[in-house]
Amino acid sequence: MPTQLCDSLLLKTSRAYPPGSVARWHETLADTPWAQARVQSVATAKAENGQPMHHTYLHLPQATELDSAYCLAFEKRWHALTGHTAQVSRLREALRCEGASFGETPGVHYVVETDTDEGWETEIFRWYDEEHMPGLATVPGCILARRLLNLDHGPRSFASYDLVNRETLGSPAWLAVRGTAWSDKCRPHFVHTLRTMFENPNA
């Protein structure tokens, strides 16, 4: 993909890596726009697909245009450092909703990645932007809700939620937002969906 405006870089791997690898990897990016990025690293021993999952984000201070070649270069740096492969993607923020508990320390980072059935992307993105994410942001315990686009790897839709704790996801207010008629219309048209719960994130 050609040069695109992006807000974050995401490194994904299912392989365990030595302590300190993320910090050392970030140090190797001193000659790139990511030198001043904020690092957010989260992991779980078992994602929805049954595999371990590690996400490391580099959040840019401001949106920046980057070529996809950056991703390949960052993957090579990671492999040289750890001996393991990783998938690196540019993420572009499409919607950001500060939540009812904005400013609190997150205990959970929850991610929903999905593609859509053919012809449903516009409707599902409109549902996310007009109802779903703004509604979830009002739920006590929601710190930040973001809808992003993965510019380099699937699934294309990348929704992330920083939450005070796991119980937020099962609260009556959260379930009420999930249980609308528009939600029931859209959700069956999710494909290649992966939901990952990261607890006690290093945010």
Side-chain angles (χ1 to χ4, degrees):
M1 184 173 287
T3 299
Q4 294 279 325
L5 194 67
C6 64
D7 300 271
S8 300
L9 189 75
L10 169 66
L11 182 146
K12 292 175 63 175
T13 179
S14 61
R15 302 291 298 272
Y17 46 78
S21 295
V22 171
R24 292 196 297 274
W25 179 66
H26 190 211
E27 289 170 1
T28 73
L29 306 182
D31 59 337
T32 75
W34 304 98
Q36 303 303 316
R38 179 176 66 87
V39 179
Q40 180 184 13
S41 185
V42 294
T44 180
K46 189 175 182 181
E48 187 180 52
N49 60 5
Q51 300 297 314
M53 182 63 68
H54 301 260
H55 282 193
T56 296
Y57 302 89
L58 298 180
H59 299 300
L60 277 177
Q62 60 186 24
T64 302
E65 290 204 358
L66 289 177
D67 188 270
S68 59
Y70 273 95
C71 296
L72 180 60
F74 295 162
E75 289 172 358
K76 289 180 177 178
R77 293 184 192 210
W78 180 262
H79 187 268
L81 183 67
T82 67
H84 299 314
T85 59
Q87 183 185 85
V88 177
S89 305
R90 296 164 298 166
L91 299 179
R92 184 173 72 228
E93 186 176 85
L95 181 68
R96 176 187 177 91
C97 298
E98 295 182 357
S101 300
F102 187 74
E104 295 192 33
T105 301
V108 164
H109 180 70
Y110 179 56
V111 174
V112 180
E113 299 171 79
T114 193
D115 290 316
T116 69
D117 281 333
E118 185 176 355
W120 276 86
E121 184 177 86
T122 297
E123 175 77 4
I124 287 173
F125 285 177
R126 191 167 69 86
W127 163 76
Y128 260 125
D129 294 348
E130 296 180 13
E131 179 185 271
H132 193 62
M133 279 204 162
L136 292 178
T138 68
V139 175
C142 183
I143 298 168
L144 180 66
R146 302 174 77 206
R147 182 173 76 79
L148 304 107
L149 297 176
N150 189 320
L151 302 177
D152 298 290
H153 298 94
R156 172 171 158 81
S157 175
F158 190 98
S160 73
Y161 307 89
D162 287 327
L163 309 173
V164 172
N165 53 44
R166 190 186 188 101
E167 287 67 34
T168 303
L169 286 167
S171 67
W174 187 277
L175 296 177
V177 175
R178 292 190 78 254
T180 67
W182 201 359
S183 299
D184 291 343
K185 176 183 177 182
C186 290
R187 200 168 283 114
H189 297 283
F190 283 21
V191 293
H192 311 134
T193 305
L194 176 63
R195 298 174 177 86
T196 310
M197 175 81 69
F198 300 100
E199 297 199 62
N200 302 315
N202 172 25

